[in-house]
Amino acid sequence: MPASPLSPTGASAAPAPGPRGPSVVELRRYALRPGRRDELVELFDREFVEPQEEAGMAVLGQFRDLDDPDRFVWLRGFRDMEARRRGLGAFYGGPVWARHGPAANATMVSSDDVLLLRPLTPGQGPVARAAARPAVGAPDPGGVVSAVVWSFPPGRSGGLGLVRDGLLPALRRTGPAPVAVLATEPAANTFPRLPVRTGENVVVALTPYPDEAARRGHLARLHGDRLTREGVLAPLEKELTAPALVLRLAPTARSLLR
């Protein structure tokens, strides 16, 4: 992946892990100490974006969880699992993490809620929506990114098929299409220093909206369609091992997904 220029005071080009987005993605949810989220967001956006991209990774999106004031959520992409191993080793073994990692860790209660994912359709990974990454100090962009996580029984593919062949067409008919739909990456963790959740069988859809009203309107149209409700949503619910997890995420100033 071409390295993004390190530019602490100016905008940088969007990362390019591949022409159609990364083939491996981490969805990372951090539980933070009360009242310290903005401290981590400022540190992350100032110090951790360009160095990770220079190590061959794509920092795709950074978010405040709108329903939990002490939760930070972000996505990181890789060309493949071997590139993940190399990139994480270079970053976490390098000088930037040595200098600023202790301050980041001091804001956290837990950082091991991590889903390792791949595009549900090969070659269709998340791609940047911003042409260039905003500079440090830019204002937050507003808007809401919805991340919905459906959990299915391990080893069963029926739920994935319902999402791919039924739900996604319905979402496109009733509102904006997701910018990425991801499923569990089954490969072994190539960087055990950072644990990931194992034994998972999930699908995650990421959809940006201009505001909360637009998100709610899309859901109302989706659930208001009888054929979708009976032919897609009801069978999908029967496949789930738990209710769908809906994350309402506010992009930070330098997030590319927005």
Side-chain angles (χ1 to χ4, degrees), residues 72-149:
F72 175 66
V73 180
W74 66 293
L75 294 110
R76 174 167 57 189
F78 312 86
R79 190 179 299 277
D80 53 38
M81 291 297 289
E82 175 57 22
R84 176 177 180 268
R85 183 190 68 79
R86 292 195 307 268
L88 294 178
F91 177 71
Y92 289 103
V96 172
W97 185 252
R99 186 180 311 120
H100 299 288
N105 285 335
T107 69
M108 301 177 196
V109 175
S110 171
S111 61
D112 58 2
D113 186 349
V114 180
L115 290 171
L116 192 60
L117 306 166
R118 57 176 171 78
L120 180 61
T121 301
Q124 296 289 338
V127 294
R129 285 171 54 84
R133 192 182 300 280
V136 172
D140 289 345
V144 178
V145 174
S146 168
V148 183
V149 183

Side-chain angles (χ1 to χ4, degrees), residues 44-45 49 59-63 72-74 133 250-252 254-255:
F44 189 104
D45 276 4
V49 173
V59 179
L60 299 167
Q62 308 94 266
F63 309 96
F72 175 66
V73 180
W74 66 293
R133 192 182 300 280
T252 72
R254 307 196 72 206
S255 176

